[in-house]
Amino acid sequence: MGLMGGVGISPVRAREQFLRGGSVEGTVRSPILSSWQRSQELGLSPEGCELPFLQDLDLDGRLVRAAMPVLDRLQSMFAGRNMNVSLADGRGAVLQRRFGEASLVRHLAAIQSVPGFVFAEQFGGTNGIGLALAERQLINVYGAEHFAERSQSSACSAIPVRDLLNGRIEGVLCFGYPLSDTDAALNTVIRRAAGAIERRLLEQSSTRERALLQAYLDARHHAPADDATGDGQLGELSRSGLDWRDQMILKERAADLISAAQRAAVEVALPGGRRVTLLSRPVTSPSGVEGVVIEAVLPTAHLRLTVPAEAAAPPAALALQALAPAVPPSGQAPGTAPGRPAMTARKPGTPAGPRTPGGTTGTGPAERAEPGESTTSGLVMVGEPGVGKYAVAARRRLELLSEASARIGTTLDVSRTARELAEMAVPRLADFVTIDLPEAVLRGEEPADPRIGLFRTVVHGYRDDCPFYPAGEPVDLRATTPQLRCLAGGQPVLEPDLRSATGWIAQDPAHAQRLLDHNVHSLIAVPLLARGIAVGIASFYRSRDPAPFGDDDLSLAQELATRAAICIDNARRYTREHAMVLALQRSLLPHSFPEQNAVEVAYRYMPAESGVGGDWFDVIPLSSSRVALVVGDVVGHGLHAAATMGRLRTAARNFAELDLAPDEVLTFLDNLVGRLDRDEGAEELSASSTGIIGATCLYAIYDPTSQQCVMARAGHPPPALVGPDGTVTFPDLPAGPPLGLGGLPFETAEFHLPEGSQLVLYTDGLLADRHHDFDTALDRLRQALAHPSRPPEDTCEAVLRAVVPHHPDDDIALLVARTHALDSHRIATWDLPADPALVSGIRAAVTRQLTAWGLDEVVFATELLLSELVTNAIRYGTGPIQVRLLYDRTLTCEVSDHSSTAPHLRHAATTDEGGRGLFLVAQLTQAWGTRYTGDGKVIWAECALEVPAGKPGVLESCFDDIPAI
């Protein structure tokens, strides 16, 4: 049996090629390839595909009751075989499992043996149950055609189980077996088993409905052999391109035809200019039950139906002429030959269709398709007119409310939720819907007065040219309008005839007249109430149906609005919390960077669309004109991630003040994250807290005097290095473990960055997005960075345009730094042995250098602190000794030696003979400290080149605490 649609490539290789982004068109069966593509778009991973587990299973429902005997028979049939038979509901949740070999259950994972796991395609990727629900037909999935890695060694066959009365899929029957046991005969077995379950489901329907359906099926069975009616499968409308909304439009029209209780054929307009013909056929069961069967007829290719040029009569008249008796009339035995059904497509040159009871010759609805075009038909509805249109309308309302529960509130976006309410109501309840929400609700706040600050949020209707106030603009409503009356009373307001609704007209008479001119004639205004709080107003308008809204419509509109209001309020509260977390995170991120000359920086931060995460970045000036660049990412989203990010950023700045190497900073951060985890775990956090799952970080130090960059990373993506010639590289930097694991070392790497290079640091949200492939994103980033002469601000914009999606799934932090070098003429270095006699000579050399730089005002202070630092190095350090001056924004004096002993500042008592040297250094400088190197240490001190106005002179104040001699 061929498992793939093409030749020359195995299923495994085809799947690997697809996952790498290669083309597999023609080598993979169409349903499988479509499912793979959908799985990738959903962001599923072959190694993941986590399946949700449901507790609310209907284990004693009508589907299970109908399937139990069939499952028992299948278990007996497959006894001793490696076969797994499962029954799932319409959501893809497994209700029953049977095994041919009972011992199998001990060797299978829970998802393959325990009921409750949901195998819908959006969770499990390509699999039998999920694909049968998506394709709505019998399907087979073999080995590597599965999307999840865990299913690669198995095969399955799955088929939908339908309610024969309405064509709705009630569940899925699935056979799972080893790939080596593939057998084409299994398709026959599963079809028969599904058919048996469907018949048992039908037996649970009313006797009168079964009798009507049987009469209809008998009539079709005895139709002439040349009846070209298509496949005739019941309920198979979705396979002809009709989605759920199209089917609801057809069902609504079918209910009207059943209530009319007469033979008819009507054309129903669907969105997109498509048209479908509905046939209404009276039918009588052998026991005398009278009812109506509604069929839909449409071209197989779903082309637009065309009316022949010779059809001069109105469409309704042509449709009526097309109907000949298709089922035995009342009193006629079902076995007698009925008249030729009117659904036969007439070929060019053939006589017209049968004659109607009135004697005219009809051209059937299916004849209105293009010549030679085949048609398909499907059962839409069976009913009894005597039950009354109220019962049909009640069923329709229940269906609408049931679908509203699933289709309103699919996102946590206030405006989108409001639009979903409007889309549910049009056209099944109203022809136009407008929704007005207070500005406070749109911001996520609770409205103090819902009548103030209303904005037109949604305008939706069956046509776009109706002159309602446009969406996105403020709406100032008078107190007499039905909308504000419903808010004031907390109850919906019905205006059956807008022509006499003076309060509505008084709002804007000219605008009201324009709406009346568009046949808008009836209104229901409903307050959107959630937990006693009004979050907006929904207005339902009717124009096409001449009948005004009634009490039943009023209650239905209120039910819809109540369900939508809760979803809108949930979205509002989420918006508020999201804004709070975003404000917290932005307050914890740097708003500006300290002035320094080592690098020119620009940055961007973009929060995730679904929630704020823990991405952060920083630029930290260090001693000796160096600068540290940091970027990190706390795993997770929400308030906890943002707060943890703030703690880590603060800790990183504090550790940077110690002048530690990058690997040492990461070690300290690693210990901190582990300690935070232990502390919070000991506090037994509430279920709403997620704890610190993990964090990553990249820490780099750039030295403009040597143009060297030292960096280390903890599980973070490596940076991009852009050379002055435009070459873009991603250095092979040791990855290191994520922060929080503890005990594992971090490694550093050193790179030479010529002046004008760009160092680009980012978080994984920049590249790891479900909307595009990682390698593709990496190539786009490389192309966007290959412009070395561009300023960092322009580089940030170019990266966002080229790589970042419009709605990112994860936070994105981007930091671009262009390097500068300190002019060699601003660096002075002296090497000297450990000889106290040379101190005076170094003072003289420093004085000459400062004079050459034009820094005469700091000569005296520099001589004093260098005397102290050099003397300490000679006395307590290990030679050789080096003195270096750096003339940047400040004057930095460095004295280095090969000892690791650090000086300690202390305050000498008035009677002490010494101990005031470092105190003098601290007073003469704006900052000083110790930096350890691989072969010793560096004592550095920074002198300000300008004394702030009003501040005492440094030299005057530094001797205040020294007693007189």
Side-chain angles (χ1 to χ4, degrees):
M1 175 179 295
L3 305 187
M4 311 295 282
V7 295
I9 182 172
S10 69
V12 175
R13 290 185 57 195
R15 180 175 178 275
E16 292 175 349
Q17 184 172 326
F18 171 83
L19 293 176
R20 289 196 303 268
S23 174
V24 291
E25 293 286 345
T27 64
V28 179
R29 292 187 291 134
S30 177
I32 300 297
L33 179 56
S34 299
S35 180
W36 285 357
Q37 293 168 343
R38 290 192 298 267
S39 301
Q40 244 186 8
E41 291 171 358
L42 289 168
L44 299 179
S45 168
E47 299 81 17
C49 294
E50 295 295 331
L51 304 181
F53 182 83
L54 298 182
Q55 300 282 356
D56 59 332
L57 298 179
D58 190 3
L59 298 178
D60 196 31
R62 60 191 298 263
L63 177 61
V64 175
R65 292 197 305 271
M68 287 295 282
V70 180
L71 295 177
D72 291 341
R73 176 71 180 120
L74 289 173
Q75 185 174 12
S76 175
M77 179 187 303
F78 295 125
R81 293 184 58 181
N82 194 356
M83 178 67 70
N84 183 341
V85 179
S86 56
L87 176 73
D89 63 17
R91 301 170 297 179
V94 175
L95 303 174
Q96 287 277 325
R97 283 195 181 275
R98 302 296 180 87
F99 300 90
E101 176 57 52
S103 61
L104 275 179
V105 71
R106 295 196 300 268
H107 306 289
L108 294 177
I111 60 171
Q112 297 174 295
S113 58
V114 178
F117 286 96
V118 181
F119 284 79
E121 191 181 64
Q122 62 264 37
F123 305 115
T126 308
N127 70 88
I129 294 175
L131 193 52
L133 287 172
E135 296 292 330
R136 305 178 67 86
Q137 61 179 328
L138 171 65
I139 60 94
N140 297 285
V141 183
Y142 304 105
E145 291 182 340
H146 289 89
F147 191 80
E149 294 284 358
R150 60 171 174 264
S151 304
Q152 299 298 296
S153 62
S154 63
C156 62
S157 303
I159 188 171
V161 176
R162 289 180 169 81
D163 185 334
L164 294 178
L165 286 177
N166 55 32
R168 184 175 59 246
I169 293 178
E170 295 291 333
V172 176
L173 180 65
C174 181
F175 294 168
Y177 44 90
L179 186 60
S180 58
D181 290 352
T182 300
D183 187 351
L186 288 176
N187 285 347
T188 302
V189 175
I190 200 169
R191 280 196 182 98
R192 290 178 178 176
I197 298 174
E198 289 171 346
R199 289 192 296 273
R200 290 182 56 81
L201 279 173
L202 185 62
E203 291 172 2
Q204 298 179 23
S205 304
S206 70
T207 304
R208 298 172 69 89
E209 285 179 323
R210 294 202 306 271
L212 290 174
L213 180 61
Q214 189 59 50
Y216 163 75
L217 294 175
D218 289 342
R220 291 185 64 89
H221 179 70
H222 292 94
D226 60 348
D227 181 4
T229 59
D231 59 14
Q233 295 184 29
L234 306 183
E236 281 299 289
L237 300 180
S238 61
R239 291 179 59 190
S240 299
L242 301 180
D243 61 18
W244 68 272
R245 197 177 300 277
D246 298 330
Q247 296 181 47
M248 289 303 102
I249 295 174
L250 294 180
K251 288 181 180 181
E252 182 176 11
R253 193 69 184 95
D256 295 335
L257 292 175
I258 289 177
S259 301
Q262 56 183 314
R263 186 181 303 275
V266 296
E267 285 187 345
V268 180
L270 298 177
R274 299 165 298 162
R275 306 183 73 84
V276 173
T277 302
L278 290 183
L279 300 181
S280 172
R281 301 180 182 279
V283 62
T284 303
S285 72
S287 60
V289 178
E290 295 183 353
V292 179
V293 174
I294 308 297
E295 281 185 310
V297 181
L298 64 160
T300 300
H302 209 62
L303 300 176
R304 183 177 299 178
L305 299 175
T306 57
V307 180
E310 66 269 21
L318 282 172
L320 288 172
Q321 293 173 10
L323 294 175
V327 296
S330 178
Q332 180 177 335
T336 59
R340 178 186 178 89
M343 294 186 294
T344 304
R346 177 168 60 89
K347 298 179 180 180
T350 59
R355 300 181 66 86
T356 66
T360 59
T361 301
T363 54
E367 295 176 22
R368 306 169 96 181
E370 297 293 345
E373 185 182 65
S374 63
T375 61
T376 185
S377 63
L379 177 64
V380 179
M381 192 175 290
V382 177
E384 297 179 66
V387 176
K389 69 176 184 180
Y390 295 107
V392 175
R395 177 186 295 180
R396 197 167 64 223
R397 285 178 168 83
L398 287 175
E399 289 177 348
L400 178 59
L401 291 175
S402 176
E403 291 184 23
S405 300
R407 297 185 180 274
I408 297 178
T410 58
T411 68
L412 288 172
D413 180 83
V414 173
S415 299
R416 178 59 196 161
T417 303
R419 184 162 189 85
E420 288 170 345
L421 166 60
E423 291 173 347
M424 282 302 307
V426 177
R428 297 159 66 180
L429 172 62
D431 298 312
F432 298 97
V433 174
T434 65
I435 298 178
D436 305 322
L437 303 179
E439 185 180 10
V441 171
L442 296 173
R443 294 196 306 265
E445 302 170 4
E446 186 174 302
D449 187 347
R451 298 168 297 179
I452 299 176
L454 285 172
F455 268 75
R456 177 59 48 85
T457 306
V458 175
V459 177
H460 181 64
Y462 79 98
R463 50 189 284 190
D464 298 328
D465 59 348
C466 205
F468 290 95
Y469 294 141
E473 295 188 2
V475 179
D476 186 13
L477 300 176
R478 295 190 177 187
T480 57
T481 59
Q483 286 83 0
L484 288 196
R485 282 159 45 207
C486 80
L487 274 183
Q491 295 294 328
V493 174
L494 170 62
E495 291 285 0
D497 186 2
L498 289 177
R499 292 174 179 83
S500 59
T502 55
W504 178 76
I505 294 174
Q507 167 70 24
D508 187 344
H511 178 71
Q513 187 58 50
R514 288 195 298 272
L515 290 176
L516 293 173
D517 292 341
H518 280 75
N519 296 322
V520 176
H521 62 83
S522 190
L523 162 68
I524 296 176
V526 187
L528 299 173
L529 300 176
R531 289 175 286 276
I533 302 172
V535 295
I537 310 164
S539 301
F540 303 87
Y541 294 89
R542 179 170 284 177
S543 66
R544 289 183 295 178
D545 190 342
F549 283 123
D551 291 337
D552 289 341
D553 300 311
L554 184 70
S555 62
L556 178 59
Q558 187 174 15
E559 284 278 354
L560 281 176
T562 299
R563 300 185 183 206
I566 295 175
C567 296
I568 290 174
D569 192 55
N570 288 338
R572 175 194 66 81
R573 294 194 295 167
Y574 170 79
T575 301
R576 179 191 61 191
E577 294 176 3
H578 182 269
M580 292 172 56
V581 174
L582 184 59
L584 171 64
Q585 187 185 45
R586 291 195 182 279
S587 70
L588 296 174
L589 289 173
H591 301 284
S592 62
F593 295 128
E595 294 183 353
Q596 44 79 37
N597 292 338
V599 292
E600 177 188 357
V601 295
Y603 66 92
R604 292 293 185 275
Y605 170 75
M606 295 184 63
E609 186 179 52
S610 59
V612 178
D615 291 16
W616 54 284
F617 55 91
D618 213 341
V619 177
I620 309 170
L622 302 177
S623 62
S624 304
S625 299
R626 298 171 305 132
V627 65
L629 304 173
V630 195
V631 65
D633 183 4
V634 176
V635 178
H637 294 84
L639 185 63
H640 188 268
T644 303
M645 175 273 292
R647 299 165 83 174
L648 290 182
R649 177 176 175 251
T650 302
R653 292 190 69 89
N654 292 335
F655 295 145
E657 291 291 333
L658 300 176
D659 254 336
L660 301 174
D663 57 328
E664 295 179 278
V665 172
L666 293 183
T667 300
F668 279 109
L669 290 176
D670 180 55
N671 295 334
L672 173 64
V673 172
R675 189 161 55 251
L676 291 176
D677 258 338
R678 291 191 297 272
D679 293 345
E680 295 194 358
E683 294 172 4
E684 297 183 355
L685 294 176
S686 63
S688 60
S689 297
T690 57
I692 301 176
I693 302 174
T696 65
C697 184
L698 171 65
Y699 191 94
I701 296 177
Y702 172 69
D703 187 346
T705 64
S706 62
Q707 302 177 38
Q708 293 294 113
C709 183
V710 182
M711 62 184 74
R713 62 183 177 128
H716 201 84
L721 301 181
V722 185
D725 58 352
T727 303
V728 181
T729 59
F730 296 89
D732 187 14
L733 181 64
L739 300 178
L741 294 184
L744 299 176
F746 299 96
E747 299 181 43
T748 60
E750 187 169 355
F751 304 93
H752 179 72
L753 299 183
E755 185 171 14
S757 300
Q758 287 191 349
L759 180 61
V760 181
L761 285 68
Y762 52 88
T763 55
D764 59 359
L766 182 69
L767 300 178
D769 187 88
R770 65 183 177 88
H771 298 288
H772 49 61
D773 179 70
F774 179 86
D775 292 335
T776 302
L778 197 63
D779 290 339
R780 292 177 180 174
L781 177 62
R782 191 189 305 273
Q783 295 172 8
L785 295 177
H787 300 276
S789 60
R790 191 166 47 195
E793 281 288 342
D794 295 345
T795 299
C796 287
E797 289 297 324
V799 170
L800 295 186
R801 287 194 303 268
V803 183
V804 178
H806 294 296
H807 305 288
D809 298 325
D810 194 8
D811 286 31
I812 297 173
L814 175 66
L815 184 65
V816 178
R818 174 189 283 176
T819 63
H820 297 292
L822 186 62
D823 191 341
S824 59
H825 295 92
R826 288 177 169 240
I827 304 173
T829 306
W830 297 271
D831 294 314
L832 65 157
D835 184 357
L838 299 179
V839 175
S840 60
I842 197 66
R843 282 203 306 264
V846 167
T847 300
R848 290 192 297 271
Q849 183 63 63
L850 293 178
T851 302
W853 284 341
L855 302 178
D856 296 310
E857 71 276 7
V858 295
V859 167
F860 181 62
T862 305
E863 284 184 343
L864 284 179
L865 69 91
L866 273 178
S867 294
E868 179 63 31
L869 294 180
V870 173
T871 301
N872 280 347
I874 294 173
R875 180 177 299 178
Y876 305 109
T878 303
I881 299 171
Q882 185 182 76
V883 176
R884 188 170 71 154
L885 295 183
L886 303 178
Y887 176 22
D888 196 12
R889 288 180 177 270
T890 61
L891 178 66
T892 302
C893 303
E894 294 182 352
V895 176
S896 60
D897 64 75
H898 286 212
S899 169
S900 60
T901 303
H904 177 66
L905 175 66
R906 65 186 182 90
H907 294 279
T910 56
T911 58
D912 289 345
E913 292 291 334
R916 298 182 179 87
L918 288 181
F919 177 77
L920 287 175
V921 171
Q923 293 296 312
L924 290 170
T925 62
Q926 67 177 14
W928 74 280
T930 304
R931 181 173 72 249
Y932 292 97
T933 63
D935 54 0
K937 68 176 183 296
V938 176
I939 309 298
W940 57 268
E942 291 183 358
C943 297
L945 298 181
E946 293 183 6
V947 178
K951 182 178 179 179
V954 173
L955 295 181
E956 297 173 8
S957 61
C958 67
F959 295 101
D960 290 345
D961 296 336
I962 300 178
I965 301 177

